[in-house]
Amino acid sequence: MIQYISFKIGFRYGYDYSWMGLRVISDADNGYLIHSIFSEPAHFGIVLSPALFISIYNIFESKDLFITRLKSLAIILAIILTSSSTAYAAILFSLIFYLVNNYKKKKSFLLILVAIPLFLVLYFTIHKFQTRVNSLITFNTEGQNVFENTTSGEVDGSTLILLNGFYVASQNTRAHPLFGTGIGSYSTAFEKFSLLKGTWMENLNKEDGNSLFNRLLTEFGIVGLLLLVYFLKSHYVSKKFDKSPDEDDWVLSSAVLVLVLSFLLRQGHYFINGFPLFIWSFYFIKKINSNERNR
């Protein structure tokens, strides 16, 4: 919030943290992209996504679980100000898991009333978000043709990199469907199938696919993804499907699941931002909940 306000009032040292040796992200249409002390807005949104779910829970339940409602509002607002599509996807995931676990007709109707106008406001007021949505629509209608002119400005560069990673993963899976080509092999698949060769983006995210989904599909194939889905499904603590789970347990489990899905969407590194610790947390939340129910 300090970063955003500092940019608006022109206080450089309050938003440009390069003087601390941190990376600075700027954008021609949005000016300065809010990313706190992280390398980019998407990283900030992903790391904050578990707290985002808890914040949404606190607001709708009028509670202060782990985080006060004032801090919850600050977290939600900070996520919105990132202009990051990944951060906005985390909001969507959070709303979905809240509804799944806490379905009530009035609250569900209220959430829908809030979600649709929020999407429209973000789409029409934040150019970067609008460009990314339009890029996905263009890809669905034109397919690989969107890669022919990567400098037109009509298609967002980050979205192209993500879509190229998905193309690489899908082509590699066609050749090696069951078990993929092994850990660390994404860069080899990238060199073979990338559609961005000869552009300024040709080596961006060559090692990680810009998405954990793309990398997992390439390196572990369909079997690897199915094992991940099984792990997430079998270890998710659900208020709807588990018998009377502790309130803290299903909230924490949902919070971590939002982070995992955000990683699958955007981050392609297995260890960045403490990802393995969240996987262990997800496992132990289920284990603790099972022990509590068996007492």
Side-chain angles (χ1 to χ4, degrees), residues 166 169-170 172-173 176-177 179-181 212-222 225:
F166 177 73
S170 62
N172 193 74
T173 303
H176 309 277
F179 302 104
T181 47
L212 196 57
F213 174 85
N214 292 338
R215 187 169 181 185
L216 283 171
L217 184 60
T218 301
E219 298 184 354
F220 296 98
I222 296 172
L225 277 181

Side-chain angles (χ1 to χ4, degrees), residues 69-116:
R69 268 166 283 180
L70 181 60
K71 289 180 180 179
S72 295
L73 284 172
I75 288 169
I76 293 170
L77 187 54
I79 287 288
I80 292 173
L81 292 175
T82 62
S83 300
S84 166
S85 300
T86 305
Y88 296 161
I91 295 176
L92 177 61
F93 295 146
S94 297
L95 292 175
I96 289 172
F97 290 127
Y98 176 79
L99 284 178
V100 166
N101 287 282
N102 207 43
Y103 178 77
K104 294 175 184 176
K105 287 185 178 179
K106 288 184 178 180
K107 286 188 176 181
S108 299
F109 183 67
L110 177 62
L111 275 175
I112 293 172
L113 285 180
V114 170
I116 294 176

Side-chain angles (χ1 to χ4, degrees), residues 20-281:
M20 291 193 291
L22 299 174
R23 184 185 179 193
V24 176
I25 301 290
S26 60
D27 182 83
D29 299 299
N30 295 288
Y32 192 85
L33 299 182
I34 305 305
H35 54 93
S36 185
I37 60 172
F38 292 86
S39 59
E40 57 184 271
H43 292 203
F44 173 59
I46 290 172
V47 171
L48 212 61
S49 60
L52 170 68
F53 176 83
I54 295 172
S55 297
I56 289 175
Y57 169 86
N58 282 340
I59 297 302
F60 281 101
E61 293 295 315
S62 298
K63 293 184 178 180
D64 294 307
L65 184 66
F66 304 120
I67 307 169
T68 65
R69 268 166 283 180
L70 181 60
K71 289 180 180 179
S72 295
L73 284 172
I75 288 169
I76 293 170
L77 187 54
I79 287 288
I80 292 173
L81 292 175
T82 62
S83 300
S84 166
S85 300
T86 305
Y88 296 161
I91 295 176
L92 177 61
F93 295 146
S94 297
L95 292 175
I96 289 172
F97 290 127
Y98 176 79
L99 284 178
V100 166
N101 287 282
N102 207 43
Y103 178 77
K104 294 175 184 176
K105 287 185 178 179
K106 288 184 178 180
K107 286 188 176 181
S108 299
F109 183 67
L110 177 62
L111 275 175
I112 293 172
L113 285 180
V114 170
I116 294 176
L118 177 61
F119 174 82
L120 292 175
V121 168
L122 293 175
Y123 180 80
F124 287 109
T125 60
I126 299 179
H127 182 267
K128 192 173 185 65
F129 179 62
Q130 184 182 81
T131 304
R132 292 195 173 186
V133 172
N134 291 344
S135 298
L136 290 174
I137 295 172
T138 303
F139 179 74
N140 286 327
T141 56
E142 298 184 16
Q144 295 182 33
N145 293 333
V146 299
F147 293 95
E148 292 179 0
N149 186 4
T150 60
T151 60
S152 65
E154 297 178 3
V155 180
D156 178 71
S158 296
T159 304
L160 273 182
I161 293 170
L162 184 62
L163 292 172
N164 182 61
F166 177 73
Y167 178 79
V168 170
S170 62
Q171 293 302 305
N172 193 74
T173 303
R174 286 186 178 184
H176 309 277
L178 292 180
F179 302 104
T181 47
I183 190 168
S185 64
Y186 180 84
S187 58
T188 303
F190 185 92
E191 291 175 357
K192 188 182 296 185
F193 299 113
S194 175
L195 295 172
L196 295 177
K197 294 173 183 175
T199 72
W200 66 272
M201 297 180 285
E202 63 179 342
N203 290 317
L204 293 179
N205 296 101
K206 180 180 178 180
E207 303 294 330
D208 61 15
N210 203 32
S211 156
L212 196 57
F213 174 85
N214 292 338
R215 187 169 181 185
L216 283 171
L217 184 60
T218 301
E219 298 184 354
F220 296 98
I222 296 172
V223 172
L225 277 181
L226 288 177
L227 287 174
L228 176 63
V229 171
Y230 173 76
F231 171 78
L232 295 176
K233 183 178 183 300
S234 61
H235 288 82
Y236 177 50
V237 178
S238 169
K239 186 176 180 181
K240 183 175 182 180
F241 300 109
D242 287 293
K243 293 181 180 179
S244 302
D246 184 87
E247 190 80 0
D248 292 4
D249 290 346
W250 80 260
V251 170
L252 286 172
S253 186
S254 298
V256 175
L257 187 55
V258 169
L259 177 132
V260 173
L261 293 179
S262 299
F263 259 91
L264 286 169
L265 186 64
R266 184 65 170 79
Q267 297 278 16
H269 196 292
Y270 296 127
F271 295 98
I272 195 171
N273 294 325
F275 182 67
L277 296 178
F278 284 100
I279 295 295
W280 276 110
S281 298

